[in-house]
Amino acid sequence: MSYPYVTRPIKNPRDRSIKYYVQAAPQKPVDLKTIAERIEKRSTVSIADVKAVLAALEFEVIQALKEGHTVRLGDLGSFYTRLQSKGAETQEECWQKGAQLVTRISCAFLRSKAMSDELQPSKVGLTPSDAEQAKKDAAHNGN
């Protein structure tokens, strides 16, 4: 397996020099149906059963996050919520206004150590994306 990448030029605002960096190439997202089909192939469970379990997992993760819990999914990682709020002049005012100060609630994902270990550059093959390869070929051919 190989991870597709593109190169991006980034200009240094201080000296206006340009360096090129490797970045992940945009890929088509893998949807729930595809994940269910892959799991079906790796197990004795039917796709209908896999979809039912994944739908229940989605629901339960959302419910747990709404209740303020962190959700740990083994070697996958953890989902948790983050709050952004307006400031209050005093701690007392903050306690009184509480939720009225909250401006945004977001969900974050923290990958597990096992996932971090698997996503090391030494374990993931890199290959230019199709568009990047075309640019590379054109540059070598003098186009």
Side-chain angles (χ1 to χ4, degrees):
M1 290 191 180
S2 199
Y3 195 94
Y5 69 87
V6 295
T7 56
R8 298 271 192 243
I10 298 179
K11 188 183 292 187
N12 182 329
R14 291 185 188 151
D15 64 9
R16 304 182 63 73
S17 64
I18 295 176
K19 285 191 177 182
Y20 289 83
Y21 295 87
V22 173
Q23 294 183 344
Q27 299 297 306
K28 180 182 172 192
V30 177
D31 61 13
L32 197 66
K33 180 179 182 256
T34 303
I35 295 292
E37 288 168 350
R38 289 179 179 183
I39 291 171
E40 178 191 39
K41 288 177 186 173
R42 296 178 53 100
S43 69
T44 59
V45 182
S46 74
I47 193 163
D49 292 336
V50 173
K51 284 182 177 180
V53 170
L54 292 176
L57 177 64
E58 278 182 321
F59 178 83
E60 292 302 330
V61 167
I62 292 168
Q63 289 305 115
L65 292 171
K66 286 170 70 174
E67 294 167 2
H69 298 284
T70 295
V71 178
R72 290 196 175 97
L73 297 176
D75 285 343
L76 187 60
S78 301
F79 290 94
Y80 62 97
T81 53
R82 289 196 279 195
L83 303 178
Q84 289 181 346
S85 69
K86 298 178 211 168
E89 294 297 321
T90 66
Q91 190 172 38
E92 184 69 31
E93 180 187 359
C94 193
W95 285 333
Q96 287 174 352
K97 291 187 177 178
Q100 296 169 1
L101 296 172
V102 175
T103 58
R104 182 175 175 197
I105 301 174
S106 61
C107 177
F109 176 76
L110 179 63
R111 63 187 182 182
S112 69
K113 181 177 180 337
M115 183 182 282
S116 292
D117 291 346
E118 287 300 313
L119 293 177
Q120 292 301 313
S122 62
K123 288 193 174 185
V124 177
L126 295 173
T127 186
S129 69
D130 292 342
E132 192 71 17
Q133 188 62 49
K135 282 190 226 172
K136 194 174 169 184
D137 293 344
H140 285 327
N141 294 332
N143 296 333

PDB file of all heavy atoms in Angstrom, residues 57 60-62 64-65 69-73 77-80:
ATOM      1  N   LEU A  57     -22.990   2.256  16.676  1.00  0.00           N
ATOM      2  CA  LEU A  57     -21.772   2.883  17.189  1.00  0.00           C
ATOM      3  C   LEU A  57     -21.821   4.392  16.984  1.00  0.00           C
ATOM      4  O   LEU A  57     -21.519   5.158  17.898  1.00  0.00           O
ATOM      5  CB  LEU A  57     -20.537   2.286  16.514  1.00  0.00           C
ATOM      6  CG  LEU A  57     -19.195   2.911  16.914  1.00  0.00           C
ATOM      7  CD1 LEU A  57     -18.907   2.681  18.390  1.00  0.00           C
ATOM      8  CD2 LEU A  57     -18.073   2.350  16.052  1.00  0.00           C
ATOM      9  N   GLU A  60     -24.251   5.862  19.526  1.00  0.00           N
ATOM     10  CA  GLU A  60     -23.748   5.805  20.900  1.00  0.00           C
ATOM     11  C   GLU A  60     -22.570   6.758  21.132  1.00  0.00           C
ATOM     12  O   GLU A  60     -22.459   7.349  22.206  1.00  0.00           O
ATOM     13  CB  GLU A  60     -23.371   4.380  21.283  1.00  0.00           C
ATOM     14  CG  GLU A  60     -24.557   3.439  21.389  1.00  0.00           C
ATOM     15  CD  GLU A  60     -25.614   3.894  22.400  1.00  0.00           C
ATOM     16  OE1 GLU A  60     -25.278   4.561  23.405  1.00  0.00           O
ATOM     17  OE2 GLU A  60     -26.803   3.574  22.179  1.00  0.00           O
ATOM     18  N   VAL A  61     -21.709   6.918  20.137  1.00  0.00           N
ATOM     19  CA  VAL A  61     -20.591   7.871  20.270  1.00  0.00           C
ATOM     20  C   VAL A  61     -21.149   9.281  20.420  1.00  0.00           C
ATOM     21  O   VAL A  61     -20.732  10.040  21.300  1.00  0.00           O
ATOM     22  CB  VAL A  61     -19.624   7.761  19.070  1.00  0.00           C
ATOM     23  CG1 VAL A  61     -18.654   8.942  19.033  1.00  0.00           C
ATOM     24  CG2 VAL A  61     -18.849   6.447  19.130  1.00  0.00           C
ATOM     25  N   ILE A  62     -22.102   9.636  19.574  1.00  0.00           N
ATOM     26  CA  ILE A  62     -22.699  10.974  19.653  1.00  0.00           C
ATOM     27  C   ILE A  62     -23.378  11.183  21.004  1.00  0.00           C
ATOM     28  O   ILE A  62     -23.212  12.235  21.638  1.00  0.00           O
ATOM     29  CB  ILE A  62     -23.680  11.207  18.481  1.00  0.00           C
ATOM     30  CG1 ILE A  62     -22.893  11.285  17.168  1.00  0.00           C
ATOM     31  CG2 ILE A  62     -24.512  12.468  18.697  1.00  0.00           C
ATOM     32  CD1 ILE A  62     -23.752  11.217  15.918  1.00  0.00           C
ATOM     33  N   ALA A  64     -22.740   9.715  23.903  1.00  0.00           N
ATOM     34  CA  ALA A  64     -21.719   9.819  24.953  1.00  0.00           C
ATOM     35  C   ALA A  64     -21.043  11.188  24.917  1.00  0.00           C
ATOM     36  O   ALA A  64     -20.802  11.804  25.970  1.00  0.00           O
ATOM     37  CB  ALA A  64     -20.687   8.701  24.805  1.00  0.00           C
ATOM     38  N   LEU A  65     -20.738  11.698  23.717  1.00  0.00           N
ATOM     39  CA  LEU A  65     -20.118  13.019  23.603  1.00  0.00           C
ATOM     40  C   LEU A  65     -21.062  14.112  24.095  1.00  0.00           C
ATOM     41  O   LEU A  65     -20.633  15.053  24.776  1.00  0.00           O
ATOM     42  CB  LEU A  65     -19.697  13.294  22.155  1.00  0.00           C
ATOM     43  CG  LEU A  65     -18.544  12.434  21.632  1.00  0.00           C
ATOM     44  CD1 LEU A  65     -18.364  12.639  20.131  1.00  0.00           C
ATOM     45  CD2 LEU A  65     -17.254  12.723  22.379  1.00  0.00           C
ATOM     46  N   HIS A  69     -18.777  12.772  27.866  1.00  0.00           N
ATOM     47  CA  HIS A  69     -17.809  11.683  28.019  1.00  0.00           C
ATOM     48  C   HIS A  69     -16.786  11.684  26.882  1.00  0.00           C
ATOM     49  O   HIS A  69     -17.092  12.086  25.765  1.00  0.00           O
ATOM     50  CB  HIS A  69     -18.507  10.318  28.014  1.00  0.00           C
ATOM     51  CG  HIS A  69     -19.461  10.125  29.129  1.00  0.00           C
ATOM     52  ND1 HIS A  69     -19.055   9.854  30.411  1.00  0.00           N
ATOM     53  CD2 HIS A  69     -20.825  10.167  29.158  1.00  0.00           C
ATOM     54  CE1 HIS A  69     -20.124   9.737  31.185  1.00  0.00           C
ATOM     55  NE2 HIS A  69     -21.203   9.924  30.446  1.00  0.00           N
ATOM     56  N   THR A  70     -15.603  11.184  27.169  1.00  0.00           N
ATOM     57  CA  THR A  70     -14.632  10.835  26.152  1.00  0.00           C
ATOM     58  C   THR A  70     -14.966   9.413  25.727  1.00  0.00           C
ATOM     59  O   THR A  70     -15.346   8.586  26.554  1.00  0.00           O
ATOM     60  CB  THR A  70     -13.200  10.882  26.728  1.00  0.00           C
ATOM     61  OG1 THR A  70     -12.906  12.239  27.077  1.00  0.00           O
ATOM     62  CG2 THR A  70     -12.174  10.378  25.743  1.00  0.00           C
ATOM     63  N   VAL A  71     -14.856   9.129  24.445  1.00  0.00           N
ATOM     64  CA  VAL A  71     -15.135   7.786  23.939  1.00  0.00           C
ATOM     65  C   VAL A  71     -13.827   7.189  23.444  1.00  0.00           C
ATOM     66  O   VAL A  71     -13.231   7.686  22.488  1.00  0.00           O
ATOM     67  CB  VAL A  71     -16.172   7.816  22.796  1.00  0.00           C
ATOM     68  CG1 VAL A  71     -16.415   6.414  22.255  1.00  0.00           C
ATOM     69  CG2 VAL A  71     -17.471   8.446  23.270  1.00  0.00           C
ATOM     70  N   ARG A  72     -13.381   6.130  24.113  1.00  0.00           N
ATOM     71  CA  ARG A  72     -12.142   5.450  23.729  1.00  0.00           C
ATOM     72  C   ARG A  72     -12.490   4.201  22.934  1.00  0.00           C
ATOM     73  O   ARG A  72     -13.205   3.338  23.410  1.00  0.00           O
ATOM     74  CB  ARG A  72     -11.339   5.077  24.973  1.00  0.00           C
ATOM     75  CG  ARG A  72     -10.771   6.290  25.648  1.00  0.00           C
ATOM     76  CD  ARG A  72      -9.668   5.935  26.641  1.00  0.00           C
ATOM     77  NE  ARG A  72      -9.094   7.155  27.170  1.00  0.00           N
ATOM     78  CZ  ARG A  72      -9.444   7.717  28.325  1.00  0.00           C
ATOM     79  NH1 ARG A  72     -10.348   7.147  29.084  1.00  0.00           N
ATOM     80  NH2 ARG A  72      -8.875   8.837  28.711  1.00  0.00           N
ATOM     81  N   LEU A  73     -11.946   4.123  21.733  1.00  0.00           N
ATOM     82  CA  LEU A  73     -12.214   2.990  20.853  1.00  0.00           C
ATOM     83  C   LEU A  73     -10.937   2.189  20.616  1.00  0.00           C
ATOM     84  O   LEU A  73     -10.427   2.079  19.500  1.00  0.00           O
ATOM     85  CB  LEU A  73     -12.811   3.466  19.523  1.00  0.00           C
ATOM     86  CG  LEU A  73     -14.173   4.157  19.615  1.00  0.00           C
ATOM     87  CD1 LEU A  73     -14.609   4.658  18.250  1.00  0.00           C
ATOM     88  CD2 LEU A  73     -15.217   3.222  20.200  1.00  0.00           C
ATOM     89  N   GLY A  77      -8.483   5.026  18.781  1.00  0.00           N
ATOM     90  CA  GLY A  77      -8.216   6.304  19.429  1.00  0.00           C
ATOM     91  C   GLY A  77      -9.420   6.763  20.218  1.00  0.00           C
ATOM     92  O   GLY A  77     -10.327   5.985  20.490  1.00  0.00           O
ATOM     93  N   SER A  78      -9.443   8.059  20.538  1.00  0.00           N
ATOM     94  CA  SER A  78     -10.503   8.613  21.384  1.00  0.00           C
ATOM     95  C   SER A  78     -11.149   9.831  20.745  1.00  0.00           C
ATOM     96  O   SER A  78     -10.470  10.663  20.149  1.00  0.00           O
ATOM     97  CB  SER A  78      -9.923   9.044  22.732  1.00  0.00           C
ATOM     98  OG  SER A  78      -9.334   7.958  23.390  1.00  0.00           O
ATOM     99  N   PHE A  79     -12.453   9.915  20.917  1.00  0.00           N
ATOM    100  CA  PHE A  79     -13.209  11.106  20.539  1.00  0.00           C
ATOM    101  C   PHE A  79     -13.512  11.868  21.818  1.00  0.00           C
ATOM    102  O   PHE A  79     -13.826  11.265  22.848  1.00  0.00           O
ATOM    103  CB  PHE A  79     -14.544  10.726  19.873  1.00  0.00           C
ATOM    104  CG  PHE A  79     -14.390  10.112  18.516  1.00  0.00           C
ATOM    105  CD1 PHE A  79     -14.337   8.743  18.368  1.00  0.00           C
ATOM    106  CD2 PHE A  79     -14.313  10.912  17.386  1.00  0.00           C
ATOM    107  CE1 PHE A  79     -14.198   8.166  17.120  1.00  0.00           C
ATOM    108  CE2 PHE A  79     -14.175  10.342  16.133  1.00  0.00           C
ATOM    109  CZ  PHE A  79     -14.123   8.968  15.998  1.00  0.00           C
ATOM    110  N   TYR A  80     -13.433  13.189  21.752  1.00  0.00           N
ATOM    111  CA  TYR A  80     -13.799  14.005  22.906  1.00  0.00           C
ATOM    112  C   TYR A  80     -14.292  15.354  22.412  1.00  0.00           C
ATOM    113  O   TYR A  80     -14.085  15.725  21.252  1.00  0.00           O
ATOM    114  CB  TYR A  80     -12.615  14.167  23.872  1.00  0.00           C
ATOM    115  CG  TYR A  80     -11.411  14.863  23.283  1.00  0.00           C
ATOM    116  CD1 TYR A  80     -11.207  16.222  23.486  1.00  0.00           C
ATOM    117  CD2 TYR A  80     -10.477  14.164  22.521  1.00  0.00           C
ATOM    118  CE1 TYR A  80     -10.105  16.864  22.942  1.00  0.00           C
ATOM    119  CE2 TYR A  80      -9.369  14.793  21.985  1.00  0.00           C
ATOM    120  CZ  TYR A  80      -9.198  16.153  22.198  1.00  0.00           C
ATOM    121  OH  TYR A  80      -8.100  16.793  21.650  1.00  0.00           O
TER     122      TYR A  80
END
